[in-house]
Amino acid sequence: MTTLSRRDLGLLALRVGTGAVLVAHGAQKLFGCFGGGGIEGTTQAMEAMGFSPARESAIAAGLGEAGGGALLALGLATPAAGAAAAGAMAGAVAVHYPAGFFAMQGGYEYPAFLGFTSAAIGLAGAGRYSLDHATGHVLDRPWVVVTAFVGAALAAAAVVSRRADALAGAGAGSGAGSEDGASGADSAARSGEPGE
């Protein structure tokens, strides 16, 4: 087995494994699969966590995970897929951040890992065993990488900033600010609804 084929097989395994996890999480949010809340439950959780508009945030998170994961697994439009999944995970990291790093305490370890892995695949490319390779890398050009990652970073920053402002306003309005804004945000995050 040559170094090149080992690298491509490794990328295939990483893409399929990461993509499958993301698709499962997105399916929980969008369709209620695997014990998830579906779009209604995810909307309620998003609202409790300070994301606004909640329903659109729920749909975006679900599509970022399920769509980005499916494209990663297939190796199609890999930069856009990796950027979309990483952007969705940035929102989850923001929710779990007050609990610290480790997942055992409800921290952001797991969504950060999925986000960094997705971003790394998006930057590295899908490898030989992919639809990007089969289509001559039409959707895997350098300009796609830059556009996808800049767009995802700007969108994630805007969403996280808007959430932080909403939580700060809610804390100031109630006179009982908490570390992450509201106890509803903490309980929704710990339930794992859209946060992972």
Side-chain angles (χ1 to χ4, degrees), residues 87-131:
M89 291 299 103
V93 167
V95 169
H96 290 272
Y97 186 80
F101 178 71
F102 291 104
M104 181 184 287
Q105 283 85 36
Y108 61 92
E109 172 186 13
Y110 182 62
F113 179 75
L114 281 176
F116 280 119
T117 303
S118 300
I121 296 168
L123 291 170
R128 179 179 297 177
Y129 309 120
S130 67
L131 290 180

Side-chain angles (χ1 to χ4, degrees), residues 29 41 51 58 65 68 73 75 80 93 96 102 111 123 125 137-138 140 146 171-172 193:
K29 292 172 180 61
F51 289 99
E65 292 178 11
V93 167
H96 290 272
F102 291 104
L123 291 170
H137 297 278
V138 173
D140 187 20
V146 173
E193 196 57 55

Side-chain angles (χ1 to χ4, degrees), residues 176-193:
S178 72
E179 202 174 303
D180 191 32
S183 60
D186 290 338
S187 61
R190 292 192 194 289
S191 75
E193 196 57 55

